Amino acid sequence: MRIGILTGGGDCPGLNAVIRAVVLRAVRDHGWQVTGFRDGWRGVLENHHVDLVPSRVRGILARGGTILGSSRVNPDHLTSSIDTIRGVLDENGIDALIPVGGEGTLQAAHWLSSHDIPVVGVPKTIDNDIDCTDVTFGFDTAVEIATDAIDRLHTTAESHQRVMIVEVMGRHTGWIALHSGLAAGAHQVLTPETPFDIAEVCAGLQRRFEAGDNHAVLVAAEGAVPAPGTMEFDQGHVDQFGHRRFAGIARQLQLEISRRLGADRDVTTTVLGHLQRGGTPTAYDRVLASRLGGRAVEAVRDGKYGMMSALRGTEIELVPLADAVARLKTVPGDTCAELRALL
Amino acid sequence: MRIGILTGGGDCPGLNAVIRAVVLRAVRDHGWQVTGFRDGWRGVLENHHVDLVPSRVRGILARGGTILGSSRVNPDHLTSSIDTIRGVLDENGIDALIPVGGEGTLQAAHWLSSHDIPVVGVPKTIDNDIDCTDVTFGFDTAVEIATDAIDRLHTTAESHQRVMIVEVMGRHTGWIALHSGLAAGAHQVLTPETPFDIAEVCAGLQRRFEAGDNHAVLVAAEGAVPAPGTMEFDQGHVDQFGHRRFAGIARQLQLEISRRLGADRDVTTTVLGHLQRGGTPTAYDRVLASRLGGRAVEAVRDGKYGMMSALRGTEIELVPLADAVARLKTVPGDTCAELRALL
Amino acid sequence: MRIGILTGGGDCPGLNAVIRAVVLRAVRDHGWQVTGFRDGWRGVLENHHVDLVPSRVRGILARGGTILGSSRVNPDHLTSSIDTIRGVLDENGIDALIPVGGEGTLQAAHWLSSHDIPVVGVPKTIDNDIDCTDVTFGFDTAVEIATDAIDRLHTTAESHQRVMIVEVMGRHTGWIALHSGLAAGAHQVLTPETPFDIAEVCAGLQRRFEAGDNHAVLVAAEGAVPAPGTMEFDQGHVDQFGHRRFAGIARQLQLEISRRLGADRDVTTTVLGHLQRGGTPTAYDRVLASRLGGRAVEAVRDGKYGMMSALRGTEIELVPLADAVARLKTVPGDTCAELRALL
Amino acid sequence: MRIGILTGGGDCPGLNAVIRAVVLRAVRDHGWQVTGFRDGWRGVLENHHVDLVPSRVRGILARGGTILGSSRVNPDHLTSSIDTIRGVLDENGIDALIPVGGEGTLQAAHWLSSHDIPVVGVPKTIDNDIDCTDVTFGFDTAVEIATDAIDRLHTTAESHQRVMIVEVMGRHTGWIALHSGLAAGAHQVLTPETPFDIAEVCAGLQRRFEAGDNHAVLVAAEGAVPAPGTMEFDQGHVDQFGHRRFAGIARQLQLEISRRLGADRDVTTTVLGHLQRGGTPTAYDRVLASRLGGRAVEAVRDGKYGMMSALRGTEIELVPLADAVARLKTVPGDTCAELRALL
């Protein structure tokens, strides 16, 4: 028996823990072999891989990034290459494939599975927006890093009577923004799920100032947007290199809030960006990622393909990939209200 | 409406987050008032308290310890003082009491509740051994600190070819030991749930050495014990000040393993002790503690007494105190096997 | 005897440690009293102050920011207000003033001293660019934060074969960039002292790629500039609120390097910004700040006015304010060469 | 030209940074080769070594421990083996040797140098007690770790009204104890340089309690000793494995202070031990270690043997090994008084 594994999409603390768990359990418990494909799906398409023996995964548990590399591959490219994929898997004697990745990677995994390729997915995203799992690994680390950063910014905001806007990750969902905002004692949190009214945001700031507080910390998910018609908003454009060029929500908020509060009020911006994606995972994410990887090997052992390992309560269970990719897990309204009430 | 709150038992990161959440939600959302009793149950018995207004809880979210202080009170002392307790609560116009604490505090809360005192409990223990809640706050911080410490010890163990024994908290359960041991890549983990055979422990070490690894990291919960008859074991005694004097499992392991492996093999010990209990909570614990506190206020609003707020999956729910204190939540055999398989 | 103290300019980890040290030594050792002026020089101009007793400084040693607040005041405004300043100091019975601040604050201190106001300065800047002291407090914390951030970005750069540009503080000097760049294993560091040639920067990147390394980390001080005529460069402008609007060197580098390396090469940017200024100081900075504050009190005791406390080797000494403000301490060419040789 | 390098003595964060700097500068700048001897002097005696090329030192800058391993070798064994050493160096074509280590390693280096073996030393000790250098690498990391730990213990001490004794490293000197004690706001610090009077220690605690503070944090260097005749003191003994068995100063203080303060007062102990020696170095130590390593290569280039690289002010200079090993650098009385005055 030989398992193939690949890591796709954006960086995420815990990827190496998954790889290590898959290798240790496959080799040590079952005597199987493991092939690691390089740079996500690209390694499958280009037949670029490495043999993963236990000594190769020693010491990687605590390391950020992925020893296999990653890439973003156009899904259309994958679906049009199914014969190539089948050929590479056959050539390397791969009996089952474990793709570790976010929405795109899991969509591809689901599609391959529906074409009779034996696949078990492992969900990965710092954004926590994959459905059918309570939490994804990487999220806890991202929240911890953002919280630590906001903790630091608080003292400066207070000493210098500033409004500090912190932009955290979350293009479609406010999980990181709400959790780090609550954890770090932010005063307002803006999320993609609930378009904001800039007049209300500023009114909230004014109430703080009138109550004698001369500073404020505002956390905005990168995907937060103003309610239509409430504020000028530049949605960005795609440049000549295919990169999205976007002033960013934090910068646009800074200008608008400055304009509304007047020149006396110092408004500054910090964009955490890639800091939230790299480096050593928290203990929570190391344990979660290891368990998800271990469970995927058990799924292979039991021939449960087309499934994804997932956290449900305190247990790691298997859920159908089809269910997991059917929708994005946004923050439910109740949860959002519960967390905001604690700000 | 006036809520009383107290924090009992050992220190635990997140206590201040609970206090803050209770005050903010009670005062801001309901216009109630909050009385904080000093030093756990002692503050109730001695009518020692402080008024908790929102300005009093500002900035405490990220701070370790408890602004109310804590103490350990003999439960017998409580049950014999129910008239005193009733008197103090009446005198201060307390309509509902929120005790935040571990097994002892919650037992007392349950007992008071069964005597018609309106009580909602909030579970607290770094050991994670309270039943009916997926996780307790403080646990994530303790695991993170232990993991960070073991990460550091790893490099020394490797550079100096040592066996390093790390003693972590967990008098009755192996939650911290298993999670931090897995997260930090320990090679063996000893827990109270499964008495260890010292011969097997040493055989495991020998297998590592023979495979070419010249170091090992062994994590032991403070409550780990040898299987009867397998090793001399001093269980300690209580000294003239009522403190337990105990050489500690790590120290006893060190001597026994040194004896068995021979003088060439350097065996050292680190006891993390109180480091795991203090200081700023992780973001995870700040969020969890805040949510548990907020839910307790809702329980008071709904008149749901005799309950405890608890994490179930991703939701905060109410569970009967009676159920929560009926047994200690040890690590289930399956979970233990799952985590050990990933070491 | 009564000492006045104020903290001016940008935020800097260690300010509270200076305040604490001044209060403890003045009150405890000499029985003096201490007045804290609010928000830097503004508190002197507006006679806004607070009595600083030891209980007021308890627990602030490890806290970022400044309990006195800070502000940036136009130096012209100060020099035209010397009578106001004299009046406020007399009215409050201030026998000596200890301004804690960067270049602007110390220039003002020097000017006041030359007008017979008894002043002892304490140097403060995360940029480490004040002359006559080996190091300034705040610098070590800023370098540590930047290093920790670059450590995290490394793993993502490597996993995703990226060029990562990290912009750190240092408007006029490259101290933070060189120290954090060296500490975190950056591959190139751009400093204000040495205008860079973008062709050489890109040639260096190409050499790495050709040697088989598919990623690179480039650290740029915010004040780094291209050599004249080597690259288009937007120097920014001042907006309607008096704030400098500037695309930033990192963003401009990103566009230019993307253009030169081609669309295949992913180039990303992280701007650390205020993260480097806030939060708890490192142990190094807590000790240094405490020692500098303590020495300033001794200077007052000895009537050594017009001086600044400074680190020289392992000792805290007094140097003339006139010398300290005569020039900015840029990174000497030899030191720059020494540190770059270790990249 | 071929340089030999070895790392001796106890673990110390920054060792890998020295190795990396030596390899990069020797190979890249001079085209030389580098041989790494395994496990300190033992690798020289047993001709056990590895070729160190730049790819071998990639990514080690931030890692604790030493990729070369270390050991403690009896100095008598070295001096009786000079012919073996000469033979091994000749056989491997070693033109100059760079031993990185503490007092023992540098003594040996000095002795070899006096026997015409070309040696340049690099000082290493977390204890900061090597003479002729302002600071040694490893010290800053040890102080930072100890400070972080004491910060955590503070909140528990305060919440539970405890006396907390923290034992930090420093067998002969109080550098770590004084710096971490000051940085973390400890109330008393005991050092080896000044034998303490237990009656005064307890009187200091009583003064705190009487002033209304119900907790205290006391930092003791492991080598702190009571003044003769003031307290029973067990100096430990050497066991059958040659290890020193010693109850430890913290434990002995705990018992004695408990006895004197009475059973009401909770006195606890934390021994940081090896935690202070391992793991990733601070940015300060990474820079210092890199600079010291780089300077050692320059010394070889210039044929300056019998010297040690050292930090003097802001510069790295060369000092005679003879001077560096002539005495231990204890904390001078003035410095001790200065730091204690800031507690």
Side-chain angles (χ1 to χ4, degrees), chain B residues 41 75 78-79 99 101-115 119 121-122 130 308 321-328:
Chain B
W41 293 111
L78 274 182
T79 50
E103 208 205 349
T105 302
L106 296 177
Q107 288 277 12
H110 173 50
W111 186 85
L112 290 177
S113 176
S114 68
H115 286 72
V119 165
V122 175
I130 295 176
M308 176 183 93
L321 272 168
D323 294 354
V325 300
R327 57 180 284 277
L328 205 71

Side-chain angles (χ1 to χ4, degrees), chain B residues 157-222:
Chain B
E158 200 166 351
S159 298
H160 286 71
Q161 296 99 41
R162 281 193 183 131
V163 176
M164 282 213 158
I165 304 167
V166 189
E167 182 179 314
V168 299
M169 287 207 164
R171 193 154 297 180
H172 305 294
T173 61
W175 292 108
I176 293 178
L178 281 164
H179 277 250
S180 63
L182 168 51
H187 307 106
Q188 292 192 44
V189 174
L190 308 182
T191 65
E193 287 91 342
T194 317
F196 62 85
D197 179 337
I198 187 71
E200 274 178 30
V201 170
C202 289
L205 293 171
Q206 288 291 10
R207 279 195 300 275
R208 266 186 74 76
F209 303 150
E210 281 155 21
D213 286 303
N214 273 312
H215 76 286
V217 173
L218 195 155
V219 171
E222 62 179 328

Side-chain angles (χ1 to χ4, degrees), chain C:
Chain C
M1 189 87 174
R2 180 178 283 274
I3 290 181
I5 183 170
L6 64 90
T7 54
D11 200 14
C12 185
L15 283 167
N16 282 327
V18 178
I19 297 169
R20 174 184 171 275
V22 166
V23 171
L24 289 190
R25 298 228 48 190
V27 175
R28 214 167 49 183
D29 296 2
H30 300 296
W32 300 344
Q33 292 173 299
V34 182
T35 294
F37 289 98
R38 290 269 185 208
D39 302 334
W41 293 111
R42 194 197 294 156
V44 181
L45 294 173
E46 302 179 357
N47 199 6
H48 188 194
H49 52 79
V50 61
D51 211 42
L52 290 176
V53 291
S55 67
R56 187 71 194 70
V57 299
R58 172 169 307 164
I60 68 170
L61 177 59
R63 255 191 267 160
T66 157
I67 58 166
L68 290 176
S70 184
S71 65
R72 297 184 193 272
V73 168
N74 188 322
D76 292 347
H77 190 46
L78 273 182
T79 50
S80 65
S81 309
I82 187 147
D83 293 338
T84 308
I85 293 171
R86 259 193 239 281
V88 169
L89 297 180
D90 283 354
E91 185 184 331
N92 293 289
I94 306 294
D95 298 296
L97 189 63
I98 299 182
V100 186
E103 209 206 349
T105 302
L106 296 177
Q107 287 277 9
H110 173 52
W111 186 85
L112 290 178
S113 177
S114 69
H115 286 72
D116 290 327
I117 292 178
V119 165
V120 178
V122 175
K124 173 234 73 162
T125 165
I126 64 164
D127 287 345
N128 197 35
D129 59 4
I130 295 177
D131 205 15
C132 300
T133 182
D134 285 0
V135 189
T136 50
F137 71 84
F139 173 64
D140 188 67
T141 304
V143 170
E144 190 69 32
I145 293 170
T147 299
D148 186 57
I150 305 169
D151 276 354
R152 289 200 169 273
L153 295 170
H154 253 292
T155 65
T156 298
E158 201 167 349
S159 297
H160 286 72
Q161 297 99 41
R162 280 192 185 133
V163 176
M164 283 214 158
I165 304 168
V166 188
E167 183 178 314
V168 299
M169 287 208 165
R171 192 155 295 180
H172 305 295
T173 60
W175 291 107
I176 293 178
L178 282 164
H179 277 249
S180 64
L182 168 51
H187 306 106
Q188 293 191 42
V189 174
L190 308 183
T191 64
E193 287 91 342
T194 316
F196 61 87
D197 180 336
I198 187 70
E200 275 178 31
V201 170
C202 289
L205 294 172
Q206 289 290 12
R207 278 194 301 272
R208 266 187 73 77
F209 303 150
E210 281 154 22
D213 287 304
N214 272 313
H215 75 285
V217 173
L218 195 155
V219 172
E222 62 179 328
V225 287
T230 56
M231 169 182 147
E232 261 188 84
F233 182 63
D234 169 16
Q235 312 218 24
H237 64 280
V238 174
D239 74 5
Q240 73 226 70
F241 306 108
H243 299 310
R244 186 168 173 241
R245 295 295 174 205
F246 175 46
I249 183 63
R251 191 58 179 275
Q252 298 192 48
L253 277 167
Q254 180 189 25
L255 292 172
E256 184 67 19
I257 293 175
S258 279
R259 204 179 60 76
R260 288 173 179 249
L261 296 188
D264 291 353
R265 191 59 68 175
D266 211 356
V267 183
T268 67
T269 300
T270 304
V271 180
L272 296 184
H274 288 286
L275 286 185
Q276 299 159 85
R277 286 196 173 286
T280 192
T282 58
Y284 181 97
D285 277 337
R286 297 185 199 177
V287 171
L288 176 57
S290 298
R291 294 180 74 194
L292 290 168
R295 191 73 181 85
V297 173
E298 286 181 8
V300 170
R301 179 199 61 197
D302 300 340
K304 302 221 166 169
Y305 297 118
M307 306 296 277
M308 177 184 93
S309 55
L311 178 69
R312 311 298 289 259
T314 60
E315 302 303 310
I316 307 296
E317 301 183 355
L318 294 179
V319 297
L321 272 168
D323 294 355
V325 300
R327 56 180 283 280
L328 206 70
K329 187 180 69 176
T330 53
V331 183
D334 283 1
T335 305
C336 188
E338 182 201 351
L339 298 178
R340 276 184 207 280
L342 295 162
L343 293 179

Side-chain angles (χ1 to χ4, degrees), chain A residues 19-335:
Chain A
I19 297 170
R20 172 184 172 276
V22 166
V23 172
L24 289 190
R25 298 229 47 192
V27 176
R28 215 167 47 183
D29 295 4
H30 301 295
W32 300 344
Q33 291 174 298
V34 183
T35 294
F37 288 98
R38 290 268 184 208
D39 302 335
W41 293 111
R42 194 197 293 157
V44 181
L45 294 173
E46 302 179 359
N47 198 5
H48 188 193
H49 51 79
V50 61
D51 210 43
L52 290 176
V53 290
S55 67
R56 186 70 194 72
V57 299
R58 170 168 308 163
I60 68 170
L61 176 60
R63 254 191 266 160
T66 158
I67 59 165
L68 289 176
S70 184
S71 65
R72 296 183 193 273
V73 167
N74 189 321
D76 292 346
H77 191 44
L78 273 182
T79 50
S80 64
S81 309
I82 187 146
D83 293 338
T84 309
I85 293 171
R86 259 194 239 281
V88 169
L89 296 181
D90 283 354
E91 185 184 328
N92 293 288
I94 306 295
D95 298 295
L97 189 63
I98 300 181
V100 187
E103 208 205 349
T105 302
L106 296 177
Q107 287 277 11
H110 173 50
W111 186 85
L112 290 177
S113 177
S114 69
H115 286 72
D116 291 327
I117 292 178
V119 165
V120 178
V122 175
K124 171 235 72 163
T125 164
I126 64 165
D127 287 346
N128 197 36
D129 58 5
I130 295 176
D131 205 15
C132 300
T133 182
D134 285 0
V135 189
T136 50
F137 71 85
F139 172 63
D140 188 67
T141 304
V143 170
E144 189 70 32
I145 293 170
T147 300
D148 187 56
I150 306 170
D151 276 355
R152 289 200 169 274
L153 295 170
H154 253 294
T155 64
T156 298
E158 200 167 349
S159 298
H160 288 71
Q161 295 100 43
R162 281 193 183 132
V163 176
M164 283 212 158
I165 304 167
V166 189
E167 183 179 314
V168 299
M169 287 209 164
R171 192 155 295 180
H172 305 293
T173 60
W175 292 107
I176 294 178
L178 281 164
H179 278 249
S180 63
L182 167 51
H187 307 105
Q188 293 192 43
V189 174
L190 307 183
T191 65
E193 287 90 342
T194 317
F196 61 85
D197 179 337
I198 187 70
E200 274 178 31
V201 170
C202 290
L205 293 172
Q206 287 290 10
R207 279 195 299 275
R208 265 187 74 76
F209 304 150
E210 281 155 21
D213 286 303
N214 272 312
H215 76 286
V217 173
L218 195 157
V219 172
E222 62 179 330
V225 287
T230 57
M231 170 181 145
E232 262 188 83
F233 182 62
D234 169 16
Q235 311 217 27
H237 65 280
V238 173
D239 74 6
Q240 73 227 71
F241 306 109
H243 298 311
R244 185 168 174 240
R245 296 295 173 206
F246 176 46
I249 183 61
R251 191 58 179 277
Q252 297 191 49
L253 276 167
Q254 180 189 26
L255 293 172
E256 185 67 20
I257 294 175
S258 280
R259 204 178 61 75
R260 288 172 181 250
L261 297 187
D264 290 354
R265 191 59 67 176
D266 210 356
V267 182
T268 67
T269 301
T270 303
V271 180
L272 295 184
H274 288 284
L275 286 184
Q276 296 158 88
R277 286 197 172 284
T280 192
T282 58
Y284 181 96
D285 277 336
R286 297 185 200 177
V287 171
L288 176 57
S290 298
R291 295 179 73 193
L292 291 169
R295 191 74 181 83
V297 173
E298 286 181 8
V300 170
R301 179 199 60 196
D302 300 341
K304 304 221 167 171
Y305 298 117
M307 306 296 277
M308 178 183 92
S309 56
L311 178 70
R312 310 299 288 260
T314 59
E315 301 304 308
I316 307 295
E317 302 182 356
L318 295 178
V319 298
L321 271 167
D323 295 355
V325 301
R327 58 181 282 278
L328 204 71
K329 186 181 70 177
T330 52
V331 184
D334 283 1
T335 305

